[in-house]
Amino acid sequence: MTSERTRTRLIQRIRQQGIQSTTVLERIGQVPRHLFVDEAIASRAYEDSSLPIGNSQTISQPYIVARMTEALLASGPVKQVLEIGTGSGYQTAILAPLVQRIYTIERIGSLLRQARQRFQQLQLKNIRTRHGDGARGWSDYAPFDGILLTAAPSEIPAALLEQLRPGGRMILPVGPPEQQTLQCLTRTAEGYEQQTLEPVRFVPMLTGISR
Ligand code: SAH
């Protein structure tokens, strides 16, 4: 189930779908995704699909995690990253060694507690977590070179636009469940440039926090 062969197959599949970054592909091969899901479904951890993680939430599909990571890093080294929607912590764990520091916010306390344990277990030390509503960003550490959303808002929250450094990138799904697209937004000296990457399906971004 967690064998070298199963992981190699997953990487091949993701490469066939168009991911070219060897850094990203290697990282997908390194992170033990079975530790991010419940034991009962661990045998499916290396399938290229999203899976339930409790509280009606899902761990993202490996291809999409790779796509978002590749898009975030495409314009050169990224130092400070803000992630909204820690969930299982899988996307955070993929990205952590590829950047200087990640600040990640999750609104569901029980998911965040489990994610923190996984970060400790994997000895990922450049991750700072927060139980809160990510729509407000994390002004203490702003501005960020990169912002990643793993839950889809219907509109990009203003606080996140403000907390993106000029030259920085935001990778996010936007739109209602049936019509979401993955967007890459770059902050320029004059404003923002937006590029649509592909149709996607994420859980919606919600307001407030929950235990
Ligand atoms: N990257 C995660 C994806 C988890 S699903 C993984 O691979 O496991 C998206 C997560 O976003 C859910 O855990 C959900 O609770 C969280 N979320 C939704 N709206 C949020 C908000 N406003 N602030 C913070 N987290 C939010």
Side-chain angles (χ1 to χ4, degrees):
M1 145 187 112
T2 59
S3 71
E4 193 76 22
R5 249 184 56 219
T6 335
R7 294 199 200 183
T8 308
R9 236 190 345 251
L10 174 62
I11 296 170
Q12 277 169 354
R13 205 191 130 99
I14 291 174
R15 191 187 283 121
Q16 281 162 6
Q17 287 175 273
I19 303 302
Q20 292 177 345
S21 161
T22 47
T23 312
V24 173
L25 291 168
E26 271 171 20
R27 192 68 196 133
I28 296 275
Q30 283 164 359
V31 177
R33 193 168 182 255
H34 64 279
L35 299 183
F36 290 80
V37 296
D38 199 81
E39 265 176 60
I41 52 167
S43 62
R44 300 187 55 201
Y46 297 93
E47 291 174 13
D48 187 25
S49 55
S50 59
L51 294 168
I53 54 170
N55 299 76
S56 311
Q57 304 304 318
T58 55
I59 179 172
S60 307
Q61 178 193 356
Y63 162 71
I64 290 293
V65 171
R67 181 83 166 102
M68 292 178 74
T69 309
E70 188 176 60
L72 188 75
L73 302 176
S75 62
V78 175
K79 290 185 194 157
Q80 308 269 101
V81 177
L82 174 67
E83 179 190 42
I84 312 299
T86 321
S88 68
Y90 180 65
Q91 168 76 71
T92 327
I94 291 286
L95 192 57
L98 309 181
V99 301
Q100 210 172 71
R101 194 171 271 282
I102 303 192
Y103 301 87
T104 184
I105 307 177
E106 170 57 54
R107 63 179 292 279
I108 302 178
S110 60
L111 290 179
L112 189 60
R113 281 191 291 279
Q114 293 174 59
R116 279 186 190 132
Q117 283 173 3
R118 294 176 182 125
F119 301 151
Q120 266 181 3
Q121 188 182 356
L122 297 174
Q123 302 197 353
L124 297 167
K125 300 199 166 123
N126 60 339
I127 301 170
R128 194 165 287 207
T129 61
R130 178 178 189 171
H131 182 207
D133 182 347
R136 300 162 65 176
W138 198 337
S139 56
D140 298 355
Y141 299 105
F144 300 96
D145 307 297
I147 300 182
L148 208 64
L149 273 71
T150 71
S154 46
E155 270 176 54
I156 307 177
L160 299 182
L161 289 169
E162 277 164 26
Q163 292 178 21
L164 187 64
R165 190 193 298 282
R169 296 185 153 196
M170 192 183 313
I171 313 294
L172 77 162
V174 192
E178 305 297 331
Q179 297 159 32
Q180 287 170 14
T181 52
L182 191 63
Q183 303 278 332
C184 172
L185 188 111
T186 307
R187 184 162 191 178
T188 63
E190 298 83 36
Y192 300 87
E193 275 169 16
Q194 200 164 340
Q195 187 192 351
T196 300
L197 302 180
E198 60 188 276
V200 284
R201 190 158 187 173
F202 277 80
V203 295
M205 187 167 181
L206 303 176
T207 53
I209 61 169
S210 140
R211 274 191 280 176

